[in-house]
Amino acid sequence: MKTRKKNTTEPKRMLLLVCATEAEALYFSQMRKDCRYVNLTVLQAPEGSAKDLQSLLDWTGRQRSKGRFDSAWALFGFDDVSTDADSVKSMEEYAEKKKVRMLYFNPSFELWFILHLGAPTAFMSDITPFKDKLKTAIPGYEFTPEYFLTNGLNLHIKLFPRHSAADLNARNYNSLALSATGLKATTMPDFNENLTEICGLADMSHNQKVRR
């Protein structure tokens, strides 16, 4: 009688990403689908749970515990939760106690899209002047849920070829931000490393026909 082999496959690790706004959640849901990150869960924090940074961290921490995620990130632009560099630094210990990592963008999440176009040469506390550049580079672009559900439905896959460049631009720009504010402008490169560690490399092979 043959002996049945034991299943030695380890269960996949799980990653949680909680976004402060619907637009951000829609964009990262695109990423999850495009890259086939099956062990990534993307959630939008309920409106009352994203009114400030502590509330967002609390809600993310509860979801991390409930779902037994191996890693959890709370994503926000500074403008989403009305915070600043000093306040974010003061919340680092609190986030660590909640076992939540902060994925932030100073001053706005739209910084991530700007970094796909190039690296700013000086720290910018206001990205308003760069929004016209985004609209020129991405026809029809608007940072709204409606956009990501219609004309921007494939924005992530269109930007993906510039992902590595955006990550490098973020690292270089962080040096400028550290000098200006004492804090990185974004922790997106740290999130990218954790994403690859847990979810592996992106599988874009099924998306070739979508890119135009």
Side-chain angles (χ1 to χ4, degrees), residues 94-148:
Y94 186 82
E96 188 175 350
K97 287 181 180 178
K98 293 291 179 178
K99 297 182 180 179
V100 172
R101 299 175 72 176
M102 292 186 285
L103 175 50
Y104 58 76
F105 302 83
N106 180 10
S108 166
F109 173 70
E110 289 177 285
L111 171 65
W112 179 234
F113 298 145
I114 291 169
L115 290 168
H116 282 75
L117 307 180
T121 55
F123 176 72
M124 49 184 183
S125 58
D126 179 10
I127 66 167
T128 301
F130 286 83
K131 290 192 177 185
D132 287 340
K133 187 177 180 181
L134 277 176
K135 290 181 178 180
T136 300
I138 309 171
Y141 169 80
E142 292 181 358
F143 188 52
T144 63
E146 291 75 20
Y147 170 74
F148 288 103

Side-chain angles (χ1 to χ4, degrees), residues 41-210:
T41 296
V42 178
L43 299 176
Q44 177 196 352
E47 186 174 348
S49 299
K51 61 183 179 180
D52 54 49
L53 181 51
Q54 182 172 332
S55 298
L56 180 62
L57 293 173
D58 287 342
W59 196 81
T60 304
R62 289 195 294 273
Q63 303 314 303
R64 180 198 62 77
S65 298
K66 188 186 301 183
R68 298 182 178 180
F69 290 94
D70 298 283
S71 182
W73 293 76
L75 181 153
F76 59 95
F78 281 22
D79 55 352
D80 294 332
V81 292
S82 301
T83 193
D84 55 30
D86 289 337
S87 298
V88 170
K89 282 190 285 186
S90 71
M91 291 297 290
E92 287 176 344
E93 185 176 347
Y94 186 82
E96 188 175 350
K97 287 181 180 178
K98 293 291 179 178
K99 297 182 180 179
V100 172
R101 299 175 72 176
M102 292 186 285
L103 175 50
Y104 58 76
F105 302 83
N106 180 10
S108 166
F109 173 70
E110 289 177 285
L111 171 65
W112 179 234
F113 298 145
I114 291 169
L115 290 168
H116 282 75
L117 307 180
T121 55
F123 176 72
M124 49 184 183
S125 58
D126 179 10
I127 66 167
T128 301
F130 286 83
K131 290 192 177 185
D132 287 340
K133 187 177 180 181
L134 277 176
K135 290 181 178 180
T136 300
I138 309 171
Y141 169 80
E142 292 181 358
F143 188 52
T144 63
E146 291 75 20
Y147 170 74
F148 288 103
L149 289 169
T150 53
N151 295 335
L153 195 60
N154 293 316
L155 180 61
H156 173 266
I157 199 168
K158 290 177 181 178
L159 292 178
F160 185 80
R162 302 178 188 174
H163 179 86
S164 295
D167 185 273
L168 179 59
N169 289 337
R171 294 171 190 272
N172 292 334
Y173 184 60
N174 275 339
S175 298
L176 299 176
L178 279 167
S179 297
T181 69
L183 189 74
K184 294 177 181 178
T186 176
T187 49
M188 190 68 187
D190 302 317
F191 174 75
N192 284 334
E193 289 180 1
N194 193 223
L195 180 67
T196 300
E197 175 191 353
I198 292 179
C199 299
L201 296 175
D203 175 9
M204 305 294 289
S205 59
H206 60 302
N207 289 313
Q208 297 303 316
K209 293 181 180 179
V210 179

